[in-house]
């Protein structure tokens, strides 16, 4: 029996949603992760300290009995966000604020339309020691969807990083070689999260042999050279790149639709699939750093004390899961084989 034991990991980017969905998503993540950075793109979005505190409590209430899982809360930036909002959010323990360019993804319509107008807010965040988490895609109609991340780096990210060298910035769910190269070359206050789907798949897995709506997420899967760059960088153990699943549930019929939602619900298999990938890469010795050390170090938080153990054993990810509202959801990698299993 082949086992791997690592310090308890954290998920540095996910979507729990709200209401009774929390009874599905929170236990799924808490089964192996001690902490998670919780995205604020609810309807309405989490835009102030009061909303942060209330949402945190709803998440805590959805934890399984005896769970010591800890949600790490984020604030949703809009062009109405004030410096006072940042100060108050920080006072209630908000660790980061999320920048969505308006229209970039799920529930981002209320988000940032005028990036430059937010520079005073970034300045306040830098003073407060609040991290900036960025969905790095431009949204202009004339920019091809496969080029939107690259264009965001050139047009926006480069200048934000230059203007705020003391602001810790996480370039979220990166998908391109351009993003890898940018983060590697940037100062030490710039890091990135990487999802299981962007390590496992490329755009052929979305489009060849029929459209696969359950592989549709944003930023969209890119061509294989980009997937290769992501795989290569995690295999080096570079500490600027760490685990962020972007687990993002949408009900089955909202994915299998003429206008399907973006997001892969990976919470039930994410740690196993990352392990599967690191094994394929011959880099299992780098898994613990990626999953359990580099994120905490970057956020300036202590590493977790416990451990988790995985066993090398084939299992099939379920075809569907029934949500608390009775509706089905298709988990990421449904029906496919994973070569590592969490021992619970
Ligand atoms: O695929 C995605 N789904 N990407 C995002 O940026 C948001 C997320 C969601 O909230 O569904
Ligand atoms: Zn996300």
């Amino acid at each position: 029996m082949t086992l791997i034991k690592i310090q308890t990991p954290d998920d540095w980017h996910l979507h729990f949603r709200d209401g009774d969905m929390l009874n599905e998503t929170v236990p799924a993540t808490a089964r192996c992760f001690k902490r998670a950075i919780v995205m604020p793109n609810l309807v309405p979005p989490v835009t102030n300290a009061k909303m942060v505190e209330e949402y945190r409590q709803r998440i805590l209430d959805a934890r399984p009995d005896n769970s010591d899982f800890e949600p790490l809360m984020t604030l949703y930036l809009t062009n109405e966000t004030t410096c006072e909002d940042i100060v108050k959010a920080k006072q209630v323990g908000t660790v980061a604020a999320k920048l969505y360019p308006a229209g970039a993804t799920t529930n981002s319509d209320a988000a940032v339309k005028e990036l430059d107008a937010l520079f005073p807010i970034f300045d306040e965040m830098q003073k407060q020691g609040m991290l900036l988490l960025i969905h790095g895609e431009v949204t202009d109609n004339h920019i091809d969807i496969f080029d939107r991340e690259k264009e965001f780096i050139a047009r926006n990210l480069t200048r934000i990083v230059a203007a705020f060298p003391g602001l810790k910035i996480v370039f979220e769910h990166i998908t391109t070689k351009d993003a890898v190269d940018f983060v590697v070359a940037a100062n030490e206050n710039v890091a990135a999260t990487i999802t299981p789907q962007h390590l496992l798949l490329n755009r052929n897995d979305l489009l060849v042999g029929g459209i696969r709506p359950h592989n549709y997420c944003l930023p969209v899967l890119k061509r294989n050279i980009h997937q290769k760059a992501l795989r290569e960088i995690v295999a080096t153990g570079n500490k600027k790149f760490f685990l962020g699943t972007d687990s993002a549930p949408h009900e089955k019929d909202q994915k299998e639709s003429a206008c399907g939602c973006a997001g892969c619900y990976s919470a039930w298999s994410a740690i196993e699939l990352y392990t599967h990938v690191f094994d394929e890469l011959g880099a299992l010795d780098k898994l613990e750093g990626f999953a359990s050390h580099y994120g905490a170090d970057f956020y300036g938080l202590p590493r977790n004390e416990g451990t988790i153990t995985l066993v090398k054993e084939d299992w099939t990810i379920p075809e569907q899961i029934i949500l608390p509202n009775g509706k089905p959801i298709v988990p990421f990698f449904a029906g496919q084989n994973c070569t590592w299993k969490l021992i619970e």
Side-chain angles (χ1 to χ4, degrees):
M1 194 160 69
T2 310
L3 297 175
I4 180 169
K5 187 195 265 196
I6 59 170
Q7 246 169 298
T8 304
D10 302 297
D11 185 346
W12 298 98
H13 180 129
L14 59 59
H15 303 261
F16 276 149
R17 311 298 189 210
D18 208 349
D20 63 3
M21 181 74 104
L22 294 174
N23 296 320
E24 159 63 30
T25 53
V26 176
T29 288
R31 79 196 168 95
C32 62
F33 295 110
K34 172 73 170 57
R35 297 170 291 199
I37 288 283
V38 181
M39 287 299 124
N41 60 332
L42 305 182
V43 188
V46 181
T47 50
N48 61 51
K50 182 165 178 282
M51 295 173 98
V52 166
E53 283 191 292
E54 289 169 356
Y55 186 34
R56 179 201 282 124
Q57 191 56 51
R58 295 196 295 277
I59 295 168
L60 292 174
D61 292 344
R63 291 185 303 182
D65 292 342
N66 304 322
S67 169
D68 61 354
F69 173 78
E70 189 189 342
L72 301 172
M73 306 307 290
T74 66
L75 188 75
Y76 183 107
L77 294 172
T78 75
N79 280 117
E80 275 71 58
T81 304
T82 63
C83 289
E84 200 190 346
D85 290 329
I86 299 296
V87 173
K88 285 190 171 157
K90 177 76 183 174
Q91 281 166 358
V92 301
T94 309
V95 297
K98 177 71 187 264
L99 168 64
Y100 289 106
T105 188
T106 309
N107 303 335
S108 63
D109 292 348
V112 176
K113 295 176 184 74
E114 281 294 327
L115 181 64
D116 289 76
L118 273 191
F119 275 43
I121 302 298
F122 299 157
D123 197 38
E124 186 63 38
M125 289 171 61
Q126 184 172 258
K127 281 191 204 128
Q128 296 284 329
M130 190 186 278
L131 281 82
L132 175 62
L133 315 182
I134 300 184
H135 183 115
E137 290 190 285
V138 297
T139 53
D140 315 57
N141 253 331
H142 69 281
I143 306 288
D144 189 275
I145 190 165
F146 292 104
D147 297 334
R148 288 178 175 200
E149 185 172 278
K150 181 182 170 149
E151 184 68 20
F152 186 90
I153 297 168
R155 212 193 282 178
N156 297 323
L157 192 54
T158 307
R159 38 195 200 101
I160 299 173
V161 169
F164 302 98
L167 178 63
K168 283 195 179 176
I169 296 175
V170 185
F171 192 179
E172 298 286 359
H173 41 51
I174 60 166
T175 64
T176 57
K177 179 173 188 309
D178 310 272
V180 171
D181 293 345
F182 177 82
V183 172
V184 168
N187 73 54
E188 62 181 13
N189 283 333
V190 180
T193 52
I194 304 184
T195 74
Q197 62 267 27
H198 293 103
L199 292 170
L200 282 160
L201 307 177
N202 61 62
R203 66 194 195 181
N204 281 2
D205 299 293
L206 183 64
L207 297 169
V208 172
I211 289 185
R212 319 256 168 193
H214 299 289
N215 291 342
Y216 175 58
C217 64
L218 288 169
V220 73
L221 296 169
K222 304 297 190 300
R223 64 191 311 149
N224 60 0
I225 55 164
H226 296 292
Q227 178 194 9
K228 188 161 169 275
L230 298 174
R231 289 171 71 96
E232 281 172 5
I233 196 67
V234 300
T236 66
N238 186 314
K239 65 180 174 30
K240 289 178 148 193
F241 299 85
F242 47 84
L243 185 158
T245 63
D246 201 13
S247 183
H250 294 276
E251 289 167 9
K252 183 172 192 261
D253 55 5
Q254 300 199 308
K255 296 283 294 174
E256 298 175 7
S257 150
C259 186
C261 294
C264 301
Y265 182 47
S266 61
W268 285 111
S269 60
I271 193 65
E272 295 87 342
L273 289 172
Y274 281 117
T275 310
H276 173 112
V277 168
F278 277 76
D279 193 7
E280 283 180 345
L281 294 168
L284 278 175
D285 61 320
K286 303 294 192 312
L287 176 69
E288 186 175 45
F290 177 82
S292 315
H293 295 164
Y294 307 151
D297 297 351
F298 187 78
Y299 272 77
L301 294 168
R303 295 177 183 181
N304 295 322
E305 277 171 9
T307 59
I308 62 163
T309 303
L310 295 112
V311 58
K312 186 150 191 178
E313 182 185 309
D314 287 326
W315 63 291
T316 304
I317 292 164
E319 295 285 354
Q320 65 178 38
I321 292 165
I322 302 298
L323 295 170
N325 66 3
K327 294 197 180 154
I329 183 169
V330 178
F332 178 60
F333 233 54
Q336 298 191 64
N337 186 58
C338 179
T339 52
W340 287 85
K341 206 166 196 311
L342 183 74
I343 300 181
E344 296 190 55

